[in-house]
Amino acid sequence: MKYTTYAVVFIATLFKTLDVFASSIPAPLQQILDNATSNGDVDGPYRYPTDLTRGIVPKRLHSHNDYWRDVPFYSALATGCVSIEADVWLYNSTLFVGHEPSALTPARTLSSLYIEPIMKSLDMMNPASAFLSSESKPRPNGLYDTENAQSVYLHIDLKTPGRETYSQIMREVEPLHNRGYLTVSKDSRPLTIVLTGEVPVDMVLAQPADKRLAFLDAHLDDMTLDMEDINGDIAPLASTDFIACIAKVETPTMSPKDALRALETRNGTLTSAQSKRLQGLIDKAKRKGIGTRFWNTPQWPQAVRRRVQHQLWSMGVELISVDDLDAAGEEVGSWEDM
């Protein structure tokens, strides 16, 4: 079976157009690209059918604005991210991916950048095999060879009116569901769809409890988590704006910009009041079975970024939101030395 997809062809064309040579591509990403274009050839004793992500350890990282990567999805996969974010805009029954309307192109769609590459990657991780019993249907392997039970979150941020956009999203993820790759209610599978942005909450809640295919990213910093019907079964994750959250702690009138500048002068160290506020939100969510993520965390200077991420990690957040994938894996490993 040939595994070359539109996305892989697009990637190869992109590198050729930009004159990016193989030596400049990070080794884990090059491995994935090589494997994804190998047409499933595993002759000889040094390859095996499910080695697409061989040696890559999944990490609790969220690839923020993943579509900004040179190679969306595959770059996050090469880093070991267990959460990936795509902003979608519905025009003429097509979901385009980008940060704003002026960034959209006909070639960059939810299907071409995410659904198709994810489908083909999961197909590679779940090949037909003479070693599998024909009488049993094993649970599908996930995207990571080192931890094949790991589910990856695909965060889809709805940027256009919710009801129509939601309906199109559900149509486009249906092939993944038909293959058994989508988490359904409490049955964790390789990919979990989490919706944020202009989400029609009533439509998400209207899904049958035992057939839920799409889940909510709850609002961490408001009363949503106090609602009795919001729990981990409906919203496995909750998030909020980090800078806006810590600004509220200092004074009611402090602006996010001033809060950021004050944080930078402390080299990223949170005040006692800020730490207490964030820890309270994280603990509150945990009691409901909900993991947490903070977005709009500082990305520069690097020392500030590292210290903020380390403090959030120590508080027990589920996901660390990252923009710099190249540094993310190394920095996670160095936090214990801080």
Side-chain angles (χ1 to χ4, degrees):
M1 179 181 294
K2 292 187 180 298
Y3 293 101
T4 302
T5 66
Y6 173 86
V8 174
V9 172
F10 170 76
I11 291 165
T13 303
L14 175 66
F15 284 137
K16 182 177 181 181
T17 301
L18 297 179
D19 197 25
V20 178
F21 295 96
S23 61
S24 68
I25 303 173
L29 176 55
Q30 186 63 58
Q31 171 191 314
I32 285 183
L33 294 178
D34 289 344
N35 290 346
T37 57
S38 68
N39 295 329
D41 297 330
V42 291
D43 293 336
Y46 304 115
R47 292 288 309 278
Y48 54 93
T50 60
D51 68 353
L52 174 68
T53 54
R54 175 175 50 182
I56 298 173
V57 177
K59 308 170 185 69
R60 297 206 317 269
L61 300 176
H62 172 82
S63 182
H64 179 239
N65 291 341
D66 182 76
Y67 46 84
W68 277 344
R69 317 289 176 206
D70 287 338
V71 191
F73 170 64
Y74 287 114
S75 294
L77 193 64
T79 303
C81 295
V82 299
S83 184
I84 299 169
E85 175 185 328
D87 294 356
V88 299
W89 307 74
L90 180 65
Y91 293 105
N92 299 323
S93 301
T94 299
L95 292 168
F96 297 95
V97 173
H99 196 63
E100 56 190 3
S102 59
L104 306 180
T105 74
R108 294 172 63 85
T109 67
L110 183 67
S111 179
S112 68
L113 293 183
Y114 294 98
I115 302 302
E116 291 179 19
I118 290 172
M119 175 85 79
K120 296 304 181 182
S121 296
L122 285 171
D123 284 348
M124 293 183 74
M125 298 301 294
N126 293 277
S129 173
F131 294 92
L132 293 174
S133 170
S134 60
E135 298 178 358
S136 63
K137 187 176 182 180
R139 181 180 297 274
N141 293 324
L143 287 164
Y144 289 107
D145 187 45
T146 56
E147 194 171 334
N148 61 22
Q150 173 70 56
S151 185
V152 170
Y153 295 110
L154 178 59
H155 275 72
I156 303 178
D157 191 340
L158 287 68
K159 296 297 186 181
T160 44
R163 307 187 80 80
E164 296 81 5
T165 306
Y166 170 81
S167 297
Q168 184 63 28
I169 289 171
M170 300 312 294
R171 282 191 288 269
E172 295 201 12
V173 302
E174 185 66 21
L176 288 162
H177 173 50
N178 292 339
R179 294 281 241 284
Y181 294 153
L182 285 191
T183 293
V184 181
S185 299
K186 296 182 180 181
D187 183 12
S188 179
R189 294 297 178 110
L191 191 71
T192 301
I193 302 297
V194 178
L195 304 179
T196 187
E198 299 294 326
V199 181
V201 175
D202 61 319
M203 294 180 74
V204 176
L205 297 180
Q207 298 174 99
D210 60 341
K211 297 180 180 179
R212 188 180 308 283
L213 297 178
F215 302 82
L216 295 173
D217 178 21
H219 299 291
L220 181 58
D221 196 27
D222 61 21
M223 297 300 290
T224 302
L225 289 181
D226 290 329
M227 296 170 57
E228 293 183 1
D229 57 349
I230 296 295
N231 54 46
D233 295 338
I234 296 170
L237 297 166
S239 63
T240 194
D241 183 329
F242 171 79
I243 297 298
C245 189
I246 64 171
K248 293 179 181 179
V249 176
E250 298 306 304
T251 64
T253 59
M254 176 173 279
S255 70
K257 182 178 180 179
D258 288 341
L260 175 59
R261 294 293 178 266
L263 182 67
E264 290 172 349
T265 62
R266 298 192 302 272
N267 202 31
T269 300
L270 297 166
T271 67
S272 176
Q274 290 171 342
S275 295
K276 182 177 180 180
R277 169 63 173 162
L278 297 178
Q279 189 68 69
L281 291 173
I282 293 167
D283 293 344
K284 180 180 181 181
K286 280 186 177 180
R287 289 193 293 270
K288 287 180 168 287
I290 298 173
T292 49
R293 175 178 68 91
F294 290 89
W295 46 274
N296 195 26
T297 54
Q299 295 303 311
W300 186 88
Q302 292 184 14
V304 174
R305 177 183 69 202
R306 292 181 66 226
R307 188 164 297 280
V308 167
Q309 290 178 341
H310 174 256
Q311 290 168 101
L312 292 175
W313 182 269
S314 299
M315 291 178 188
V317 295
E318 181 67 19
L319 297 170
I320 295 292
S321 186
V322 297
D323 288 280
D324 186 348
L325 290 182
D326 292 337
E330 295 180 4
E331 289 181 358
V332 170
S334 68
W335 287 341
E336 61 187 25
D337 300 326
M338 295 183 67

